Amino acid sequence: VGCVAVSDRIKGDAADAVRYLQQKMGAEVWMVTGDNTRVARSVASEVGITNVAAEALPGDKVTRIKSLQAKGKTVAMVGDGINDSPALSQADLGIAIGTGTDVAVESAGVVLMRDSLLDVITAFDLSRVTYKRIRLNFVWAFGFNATGIPIAAGVLMPAGIILPPWAAGLAMALSSVCVVCSSLLLNRYRRPDFATTSWGWVREDIELG
């Protein structure tokens, strides 16, 4: 009597990615798959996922995402197959693995260039850093112009302070240069150190499928 067992290989960094998403980011992770229940639960237990929906058709994945969204959740879907493309389109954020199918890549809003689930965390962290930089630039530009424009208009003339036209133009150019230089600092971004980093950004309303 012989027995042959065939199964997909679990990505080496899957357990680490799930652990970070759950413990450091406060995300509730779901595994929604077309595999049978026994296989799905076995894989989920190996990577630390407790929420499992098995034997799901493409439409079932979309329904699952809609149900989470109806509860006010912000849903991010990670997938790489043709069957994942409808769910990637339905999710608030679709994330496709770059080595996946072309249909999945076209349906997603974010494409990971490497076949690493840890890049999902890097994408979230880079988005956070970028958004923080945008807000900083806005505050800087607004404060600079809110101060400079009245002075250029002559508000301080009674006090004998006059801003010549050339100085006003230079100040406006300086404001733009400062914003651009601030944005260029994003080139110094480094991905999180997954071995030691303590995450301070917690999003409890993100669901990953």
Side-chain angles (χ1 to χ4, degrees), residues 31-94:
M31 176 179 174
V32 184
T33 176
D35 294 336
N36 65 65
T37 302
R38 178 177 298 178
V39 173
R41 293 194 178 279
S42 174
V43 172
S45 64
E46 288 189 47
V47 298
I49 298 176
T50 56
N51 302 302
V52 182
E55 301 180 13
L57 299 174
D60 297 329
K61 296 180 181 180
V62 173
T63 301
R64 174 70 60 177
I65 291 176
K66 287 182 177 180
S67 66
L68 293 171
Q69 291 172 331
K71 298 177 182 178
K73 304 289 186 178
T74 300
V75 182
M77 169 70 186
V78 182
D80 62 357
I82 295 177
N83 293 337
D84 296 325
S85 57
L88 289 170
S89 298
Q90 176 61 41
D92 297 286
L93 175 62

Side-chain angles (χ1 to χ4, degrees), residues 5 48 102 105 114 135 161 169 188 195 200 206 208:
D102 292 339
V105 170
R114 301 189 308 168
R135 290 189 299 176
I161 300 176
R188 302 179 61 183
I206 295 180
L208 298 187

Side-chain angles (χ1 to χ4, degrees), residues 95-114:
I95 303 175
I97 306 296
T99 56
T101 62
D102 292 339
V103 176
V105 170
E106 291 296 329
S107 301
V110 175
V111 178
L112 305 180
M113 302 308 296
R114 301 189 308 168

Side-chain angles (χ1 to χ4, degrees), residues 150-151 153-163:
I151 295 176
V155 172
L156 299 180
M157 286 185 63
I161 300 176
I162 301 175
L163 189 65

